[in-house]
Every structure is written in structure tokens, then in C-alpha cells.
Amino acid sequence: MKRSRTGRRPGNPDTREAILAAARQLFAEKGFDAATMRAIAAAAEVDPALVHHYFGTKEQLFVATMQFPMDPRELIDKVVAGGADEAGVRLARLFVTVWDSPVGIVGVSVIRSAMTNEWTMRLFREFVTTQILRRVQAELKLDPAEAPLRASLVASQIGGLVLMRYIMKLEPLASLPADQVVAAVAPNLQRYLTGDLGSAAGDGT
């Protein structure tokens, strides 16, 4: 008679999914900063070394939980590489290029899921805040007093574009050539990043 195994799960085809499930739960519950790799390993009942083996860093694990076909941090590198002055144009152009490609189909499905599921929304909000907005603020060296507001305004512009062009497909925006979308949106993004925000900048975050 075989004895049942106890203890931590060894590496096998189910291990990766167990780690992802535990990571989604802890990232949504505790947030990215508080959810440790050791805690995720414990929740998945695996050795912490297996988490690193399958996913590398905590940032890479977080990207994997969102099921994106590419690492958004690599895209951010392209946006911030030239500094803040032309970041609005670079961001608009890169965003439209990516979302007009097959990758955009995956992005739409992630956002639709987030809009209909509380846990997914928590996970998505934490991901956008810690992996995208925080990085943009730091790399572009935005004024710390204004950075959170500026970043959230940028997110509002991008989020609105996603909703109207790619999810609701509101015309004529949905069919507008990419260059025209970039020309229309980039000035707003640049103002949110470096321009005058009026009285809103002094209202805090």
C-alpha cells in the first residue's frame, strides 16, 4: 500500500499553476510590496526556490499573474529613455502601436475581466500602480509632490482610450488612423506629465 505524500509539492506540471494561483491571491490581498516570495511559496506549498526557478523575480511573477504576452516594463523603458520632454508623444505612439497589434486582443480581455471581477480588479489596480505608474514617476524624475496626481491623470487618458477605441469601439475614434490618434492624445499626456495642472496640483493626492 502506497503512503500518501506530505509536505511541499515538488516540481511538476501542476506546480507552476499552483504558484500563480497563490500569487494572484496574495498580490490582490496584500499588495505587491507586502506579498513576499516566501509567503507565496508557502501558500502554494512549494519550496521558495521553485518560485524563483519558474518565474525569476517577484516583478516577473507579477507580470505572469496578469497573463500579459509581454512585459510592460520593457515598454516603459522605451517611453522614458529620452527623458520627460517628449515622453507624451513616445507614450502615445507606443501605446497605439501595441494595442493596434494582436497583443491588444489580450489586453482587452484582461481589462474586461478586471471590470467584471473584484479580485481581478484589485490585482490589476495593484499592477498598474506598482509596476507601471511608480516606474514612470521614478524614471521621469517627476516632482514627488505632484507625481502621483500626474501619473493617475496619464492613466485616466490611457484608460479612456482603451475603453473607447478598443472595448466600446466608439466611432470615429475606433477607426481613426494611428497617427491621428497619437497627434490628438499626445499633447494631453505631455501636459499631464510636465505641464501646468492648475489648481489641481496643489490639492494633494
Side-chain angles (χ1 to χ4, degrees):
M1 179 177 179
K2 292 183 178 180
R3 297 178 61 184
S4 61
R5 292 185 177 182
T6 59
R8 290 180 171 176
R9 182 184 290 109
N12 60 56
D14 296 329
T15 300
R16 191 177 188 279
E17 289 306 315
I19 294 170
L20 282 174
R24 290 188 189 101
Q25 183 80 12
L26 288 179
F27 283 141
E29 284 183 352
K30 298 179 178 295
F32 174 78
D33 294 328
T36 66
M37 294 286 264
R38 185 169 295 276
I40 291 168
E45 299 181 352
V46 302
D47 190 283
L50 279 175
V51 182
H52 290 283
H53 170 73
Y54 280 106
F55 298 100
T57 66
K58 185 165 74 165
E59 289 80 4
Q60 290 169 320
L61 174 57
F62 202 1
V63 170
T65 65
M66 300 304 299
Q67 299 181 325
F68 284 137
M70 64 176 61
D71 189 338
R73 294 171 305 161
E74 296 178 5
L75 302 180
I76 293 173
D77 286 342
K78 297 178 181 180
V79 172
V80 302
D85 289 344
E86 298 292 329
V89 173
R90 293 193 301 273
L91 175 56
R93 183 178 296 115
L94 181 63
F95 177 82
V96 173
T97 298
V98 171
W99 279 74
D100 279 2
S101 76
V103 172
I105 297 174
V106 179
V108 166
S109 108
V110 169
I111 291 179
R112 279 180 172 159
S113 177
M115 292 173 67
T116 58
N117 182 283
E118 180 182 353
W119 277 102
T120 307
M121 178 58 76
R122 287 188 191 180
L123 192 65
F124 186 67
R125 181 170 58 244
E126 184 70 11
F127 182 81
V128 169
T129 300
T130 64
Q131 303 303 301
I132 299 178
L133 300 184
R134 181 188 291 176
R135 179 96 181 271
V136 169
Q137 293 173 45
E139 295 290 339
L140 292 182
K141 297 179 173 56
L142 302 182
D143 181 347
E146 298 180 358
L149 175 60
R150 289 185 181 279
S152 61
L153 287 171
V154 168
S156 75
Q157 179 75 64
I158 294 296
L161 184 57
V162 169
L163 181 63
M164 295 303 172
R165 180 172 170 87
Y166 302 102
I167 296 179
M168 292 184 63
K169 297 185 178 180
L170 182 69
E171 295 292 358
L173 178 60
S175 300
L176 202 65
D179 287 346
Q180 292 185 40
V181 176
V182 172
V185 170
N188 287 339
L189 292 174
Q190 191 63 46
R191 183 173 73 85
Y192 289 153
L193 287 170
T194 61
D196 182 15
L197 299 180
S199 60
D203 292 339
T205 58

